[in-house]
């Protein structure tokens, strides 16, 4: 069985090299909108999505993220847009983190479906659990009680996408 959606799900790859050119507002909104249609526990639509294109804030995110990784270079791969996803802390809403990961997944697949490249970038949980992180959340006009889930580096891919690595054996089983 096959169709365009299934093909897009199979061919999306993490993109780690981006053109400097900024994506259009229409493209950005298409990706963000897809994120908002991710399923959420009890339809609370708990996650908060912040797309950052401001170079000063992007530099700050690069610096903050680099503090939690040994990785060389820009952990967001010089993407012109960084999309941050936050959720309520587990004491406030236990499904928040799971909700946020689905938002990120929807946005990655939507980005691929319209020809953009994206890569999930980790460490937002640690970054936003610092004084600087809390200050930045307040600067981004987010409410209290949130935590970082993850981020997307987003932009036009600078290189063709590689094929997917083979899937592991016995990834799924069907029990009837
Ligand atoms: C929870 C999670 C965290 C990830 N963190 C990073 C990251 O910090 N940096 C990065 O380059 N890729 C990151 N990735 C991307 C994975 O490395 C990538 O999805 C995986 O290698 C499979 O490749 P594909 O997305 O091209 O299929 C992350 C992916 C997930 C789901």
């Amino acid at each position: 069985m096959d169709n365009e959606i299934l093909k897009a799900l199979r061919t999306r790859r993490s993109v780690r090299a981006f053109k400097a050119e900024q994506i259009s507002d229409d493209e950005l909104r298409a990706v963000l909108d897809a994120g908002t249609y991710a399923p959420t526990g009890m339809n609370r639509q708990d996650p908060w999505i912040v797309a950052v294109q401001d170079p000063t804030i992007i530099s700050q995110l690069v610096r903050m993220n680099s503090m939690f990784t040994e990785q060389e270079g820009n952990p967001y791969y010089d993407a012109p847009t960084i999309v941050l996803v936050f959720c309520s802390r587990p004491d406030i809403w236990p499904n928040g983190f799971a909700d946020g990961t689905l938002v990120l997944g929807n946005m990655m697949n939507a980005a691929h479906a319209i020809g953009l490249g994206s890569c999930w970038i980790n460490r937002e949980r640690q970054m936003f659990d610092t004084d600087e992180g809390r200050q930045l959340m307040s600067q981004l006009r987010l409410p209290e009680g949130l935590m970082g889930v993850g981020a997307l580096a987003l932009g036009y891919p600078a290189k063709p996408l590689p094929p997917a690595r083979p899937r592991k054996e016995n990834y799924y089983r069907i029990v009837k």
Side-chain angles (χ1 to χ4, degrees), residues 12-14 16 71 75 77 108 119-123 167:
R12 179 213 53 80
R13 293 280 71 76
S14 293
R16 298 188 176 87
Q71 189 181 328
Y77 305 108
M108 287 190 280
C119 185
W120 177 315
I121 308 299
N122 246 346
R123 296 172 288 280
R167 303 294 92 183

Side-chain angles (χ1 to χ4, degrees), residues 7 42 50 58 76 92-93 99 103-104 106 124 151:
K7 185 164 169 244
M42 291 180 76
V50 182
I58 287 186
Y76 299 97
I92 299 169
W93 174 236
D99 291 345
V103 168
L104 283 158
N106 259 26
E124 275 62 28

